[in-house]
Amino acid sequence: MSNQQDSVILERDGGVVLLRLNEPQTMNALSWTIKAGFETHIPAILADASIRAIVITGVGRAFCAGGDIRSMQSDRSPSAVRGRMARTHAWVSALMNTDKPVITAVNGTAAGAGLSLALMGDVVLAAEDARFRAGFAAIGAAPDLALLRTLPRAVGMPRAMELLMSNRDLPASEAAAMGLVSRLVPAESLVAEAMAFARKLAAGPAMSFAMMKQLTRRSFDASLDAFLELESMAQCMAFASEDFAEGVSAFLEKRKPDFPGK
């Protein structure tokens, strides 16, 4: 039996944390041990100011094959399902709302809740042989882990509904063409490229990245005037940051900036 320590492996590389889903025997389906691993690791990562970027990938031939269907049979009552969802939503919300850049490196299959997890990345890198599938229609379930929020924003409403309802297999090349992923990478170099990009982000202006993430999230819901006011406030905060002072100094001195992340 796996436990949360080995079901989600945490590796530290300077200001970058790599999380590996590590139950390859089930194609990294979201078992309670994997979820418990996220429950443990995500709050600790987000509370550590020295960690400035996060990478998530899977061990073996799949990124994540979706929910653990066998565990769904344990108690199907509304109260039990809502309780399980609330526990999962705690770490999902924390991960999706963090100011730290999140990169998902999709190796192999991302299906169902695995597709949801992939789209939690600010940047989604995918192996050239990766495959995507919505999954939920196959078992008569409602899409969860925010997929009905992230998928239409990534590919548009008509494409999202077609993928959700048809449950068809989506190759990486088509996923990239429709904007589901940021970039395709050779499978053998996927994690290395994801980590290299994460290290670049970890050395970048943390305040600027935070403002980018927060304002982009709010841009879908706020009126134009409300958004422009948020933009103004964000720029005031950015201009007052140590990152901005360092960025301007480096530009004027024609050198590479050394952003303190403050």
Side-chain angles (χ1 to χ4, degrees):
M1 177 66 69
S2 297
N3 58 53
Q4 65 187 51
Q5 284 73 33
D6 59 25
S7 290
V8 179
I9 299 171
L10 184 150
E11 300 174 20
R12 182 74 184 263
D13 181 354
V16 177
V17 156
L18 172 63
L19 294 175
R20 296 182 188 264
L21 281 69
N22 186 39
E23 292 187 1
Q25 69 278 9
T26 60
M27 297 178 67
N28 300 318
L30 288 178
S31 65
W32 278 114
T33 47
I34 286 181
K35 290 179 180 179
F38 278 119
E39 288 177 358
T40 297
H41 292 313
I42 295 298
I45 289 168
L46 302 189
D48 188 341
S50 69
I51 297 173
R52 291 170 58 176
I54 303 164
V55 177
I56 301 173
T57 194
V59 172
R61 61 191 180 93
F63 174 73
C64 174
D68 181 6
I69 294 176
R70 290 178 179 84
S71 71
M72 296 176 191
Q73 299 300 308
S74 58
D75 187 342
R76 294 162 54 191
S77 67
S79 60
V81 173
R82 283 180 62 83
R84 293 196 297 267
M85 293 302 296
R87 182 175 170 183
T88 299
H89 284 164
W91 62 262
V92 168
S93 178
L95 183 63
M96 294 184 70
N97 284 315
T98 181
D99 289 340
K100 302 176 193 285
V102 177
I103 300 168
T104 49
V106 181
N107 56 300
T109 298
L115 176 58
S116 305
L117 181 62
L119 292 181
M120 291 179 202
D122 301 304
V123 176
V124 184
L125 302 183
E128 293 171 344
D129 61 355
R131 306 193 76 81
F132 302 84
R133 189 170 64 255
F136 295 94
I139 60 170
D144 59 15
L145 275 63
L147 186 62
L148 293 178
R149 179 181 178 89
T150 57
L151 185 59
R153 294 185 180 195
V155 302
M157 185 67 75
R159 281 177 169 165
M161 296 311 296
E162 186 267 331
L163 292 172
L164 289 162
M165 292 180 174
S166 70
N167 193 35
R168 68 182 178 89
D169 200 45
L170 187 68
S173 57
E174 187 179 356
M178 68 171 58
L180 186 69
V181 303
S182 309
R183 179 160 48 94
L184 298 183
V185 178
E188 62 273 14
S189 60
L190 174 65
V191 173
E193 291 206 27
M195 291 297 290
F197 186 52
R199 284 190 290 270
K200 181 178 180 180
L201 296 182
M207 177 65 77
S208 178
F209 292 158
M211 294 299 101
M212 290 176 193
K213 292 188 64 168
Q214 290 184 22
L215 266 67
T216 299
R217 284 194 293 265
R218 297 184 185 188
S219 68
F220 289 90
D221 305 316
S223 68
L224 175 60
D225 288 344
F227 180 79
L228 292 176
E229 180 60 26
L230 290 170
E231 181 182 273
S232 177
M233 294 171 63
Q235 196 68 296
C236 289
M237 294 175 65
F239 273 42
S241 71
E242 294 179 29
D243 281 345
F244 180 76
E246 168 60 13
V248 170
S249 295
F251 178 83
L252 295 175
E253 296 166 11
K254 296 181 172 54
R255 59 175 175 79
K256 183 178 178 180
D258 182 14
F259 293 112
K262 301 177 182 179

